[in-house]
Amino acid sequence: MTASRARRKQIELAAKVTGLRAEFAYWQEIGSATGELREYRTRILAITRPLALLLDRLAQAADDPVEDWVATESRIVGLHQIWDYFREKLTLRHLSFAREFLDLADDLAWSCYAPALAAAGPAAPVEPPLVHLARTGIPFALPRGWAFGNAVDPSGSGLRSDELREAVRELPVSVIGVPWLQLGHLPEAVVVAHEVGHLVLDDLGLADPLRAAVVNEFGGGNPQGAAARYWLSVLHEACADLYGVLALGPGYALALCDFAATRPGAATPAGYPPIPDRISLTADALTVLGLSDQAEAVRTRWQTEFADYPALKNTTRFTALMLNSPLDRLGGRTLASLFPTAEHHTAADRLARALLDHQPLPQATPDTLVAACALAFSRSPERYHAQQSPTIPARALKHFRAHRQRGPRAETPLPPATPQDQAEAIWHHLTRAANRPAPAAADAADAAANAENPRSEA
Ligand SMILES: [Zn+2]
């Protein structure tokens, strides 16, 4: 006897739910204490646990009357969209040629993030940022819960991009995108430290007290004065550069000279200080951190290579204010006290020389290794990228692999009630999207055409 259409639909939807359950189990397995992706364990759990809680509800909904199947399928599509925001980033770890770079960049992000987290204490968010490769030309950080890109499904099923953004925001993992082109040039991985600086400011609530310090110092309490207005407008980007120096020392400053180099007179993007100011900020930070010789080397490079650029603002006062202000959110500590920058630089410098001279490499942490690559490239780009076997970047990655500390990066589990709360909030987003009236045929055709040619409206 042939099953009814209603029954076929029920069995089909149940199978789709089971498929997703098996997928979550797969990721939790490779993210287990001995799994291949054990470093990502808490992040995989923080994402999949709340989503998996929705599967029982969806399995029940699969038995609903056949008229409701469109809504159930829409919820399954929406759940895949939320999961896929993270899955596509985790899946990159399965690409053998990208794996070492991503693991190093991810460990680098954690080494930049962990000292601030430790100072902030147990109330701070605990999941490390997830680093991935992106099709952009510049790196970016998306704080916990900022979706990116156009996720509209041309069929109108599932979540629209604004709804996806809200739903992803319920999950506690932020992401850092680095351009694919950095796979070919490891020294630029220093930008991960800059992106972590943005996240530290947002996640730990440091931006507001630092803004207040600027208003006091430059405006005498008035945010409208010209100097206060200027520094407030560039504070986030300026602090991200300062954070890069705290975490990676002169390697960051020297890589920035190359990374940020554009034509003199090119427009400065909103929110950024002009290039000369950015370089000057990093030199000032090196001085504050007791690395005056290196600060001088950065200034000399700027004076010789950036002579055509417009005159600077004085960055010294701002830098000292940002790095030396005690912050309640860091238990009264200052940003300058978070990292032993000078000590790390000594290790990175030794490593850079060993890389360039093909000597045995001393033990290295992810941050000193990336800083060392930046220093080595800056000192001798030809030798750094010389065609030899093994190349210097290949040696650096192999060294990272040999000394990598295995295991989850953040051990603190989320409070038991949290996944239920997150699941409830996500169910609400899925239900709202499932109950949205289907688009008219003409609108659906337009959406499909735009999805195939996303620039058609630009
Ligand atoms: Zn930035």
Side-chain angles (χ1 to χ4, degrees):
M1 195 178 86
T2 313
S4 68
R5 175 168 175 261
R7 188 68 195 127
R8 289 204 306 280
K9 258 303 164 206
Q10 286 170 339
I11 293 171
E12 170 200 314
L13 289 172
K16 287 173 177 170
V17 174
T18 305
L20 192 48
R21 203 187 292 281
E23 202 193 318
F24 288 152
Y26 164 79
W27 284 98
Q28 290 183 2
E29 172 63 28
I30 60 171
S32 68
T34 53
E36 190 194 336
L37 295 188
R38 68 193 79 156
E39 288 71 30
Y40 302 87
R41 177 171 157 265
T42 56
R43 282 169 280 183
I44 289 173
L45 286 176
I47 299 159
T48 55
R49 273 164 67 201
L51 299 183
L53 287 173
L54 300 175
L55 296 177
D56 292 335
R57 283 198 194 182
L58 284 169
Q60 272 171 19
D63 279 336
D64 284 351
V66 70
E67 311 81 63
D68 292 339
W69 79 264
V70 174
T72 304
E73 181 140 303
S74 170
R75 286 192 182 101
I76 300 174
V77 170
L79 193 55
H80 267 285
Q81 288 171 319
I82 298 166
W83 165 228
D84 192 60
Y85 175 76
F86 299 102
R87 172 176 50 196
E88 64 172 14
K89 296 165 177 69
L90 287 166
T91 303
L92 290 170
R93 270 85 191 160
H94 287 333
L95 287 178
S96 57
F97 67 89
R99 174 73 192 266
E100 273 180 340
F101 174 88
L102 277 171
D103 283 346
L104 174 58
D106 213 81
D107 283 10
L108 171 63
W110 179 233
S111 69
C112 297
Y113 194 63
L117 207 54
V126 292
E127 296 309 327
L130 181 64
V131 181
H132 68 103
L133 291 157
R135 59 173 184 258
T136 56
I138 53 162
F140 58 89
L142 298 173
R144 280 144 227 291
W146 275 96
F148 184 75
N150 183 357
V152 179
D153 185 318
S155 73
S157 186
L159 303 166
R160 291 189 315 234
S161 55
D162 56 326
E163 294 166 340
L164 178 63
R165 179 162 55 235
E166 282 183 44
V168 166
R169 221 181 247 184
E170 309 290 350
L171 296 169
V173 177
S174 45
V175 302
I176 291 177
V178 298
W180 278 92
L181 51 84
Q182 290 191 1
L183 269 184
H185 190 54
L186 200 47
E188 273 186 9
V190 298
V191 297
V192 167
H194 171 105
E195 300 308 326
V196 171
H198 282 305
L199 295 176
V200 164
L201 251 57
D202 287 338
D203 289 349
L204 306 185
L206 304 185
D208 284 346
L210 290 171
R211 282 181 209 287
V214 164
V215 172
N216 249 341
E217 174 80 15
F218 291 95
N222 173 14
Q224 296 308 327
R229 271 215 330 265
Y230 172 73
W231 285 114
L232 288 174
S233 72
V234 300
L235 184 138
H236 226 285
E237 290 300 338
C239 284
D241 279 335
L242 295 177
Y243 203 85
V245 178
L246 293 176
L248 298 176
Y252 179 83
L254 292 167
L256 181 70
C257 290
D258 292 331
F259 184 73
T262 61
R263 299 183 315 281
T268 302
Y272 286 84
I275 303 299
D277 286 15
R278 291 182 69 185
I279 295 168
S280 180
L281 283 161
T282 63
D284 286 341
L286 291 170
T287 306
V288 170
L289 297 166
L291 290 161
S292 303
D293 288 357
Q294 282 71 25
E296 220 32 63
V298 172
R299 284 191 197 291
T300 303
R301 177 170 290 195
W302 174 72
Q303 278 156 2
T304 50
E305 296 182 4
F306 293 79
D308 296 344
Y309 282 68
L312 292 174
K313 282 208 164 17
N314 185 329
T315 55
T316 311
R317 218 167 120 202
F318 174 82
T319 303
L321 182 70
M322 294 297 100
L323 295 186
N324 291 332
S325 294
L327 295 162
D328 288 346
R329 296 291 181 93
L330 296 180
R333 290 180 60 179
T334 63
L335 285 174
S337 75
L338 288 180
F339 297 87
T341 311
E343 216 174 283
H344 282 182
H345 174 60
T346 306
D349 182 58
R350 201 179 307 131
L351 200 52
R353 273 186 273 127
L355 281 168
L356 287 173
D357 297 341
H358 303 280
Q359 296 298 312
L361 302 177
Q363 193 153 355
T365 51
D367 45 349
T368 52
L369 191 60
V370 171
C373 287
L375 291 174
F377 176 75
S378 173
R379 284 170 196 168
S380 178
E382 290 88 359
R383 274 160 73 201
Y384 178 86
H385 274 306
Q387 292 301 316
Q388 59 202 344
S389 184
T391 62
I392 286 179
R395 239 187 123 204
L397 284 172
K398 191 175 170 206
H399 194 59
F400 159 69
R401 175 68 58 212
H403 293 281
R404 190 180 192 209
Q405 206 181 349
R406 301 299 312 262
R409 295 304 176 230
E411 261 303 1
T412 325
L414 296 166
T418 308
Q420 271 90 358
D421 297 345
Q422 291 161 339
E424 202 56 52
I426 289 170
W427 184 258
H428 169 74
H429 293 300
L430 295 176
T431 301
R432 202 179 46 182
N435 291 339
R436 199 176 46 234
D443 293 346
D446 279 354
N450 288 334
E452 278 168 21
N453 181 14
R455 287 177 185 279
S456 62
E457 288 186 352

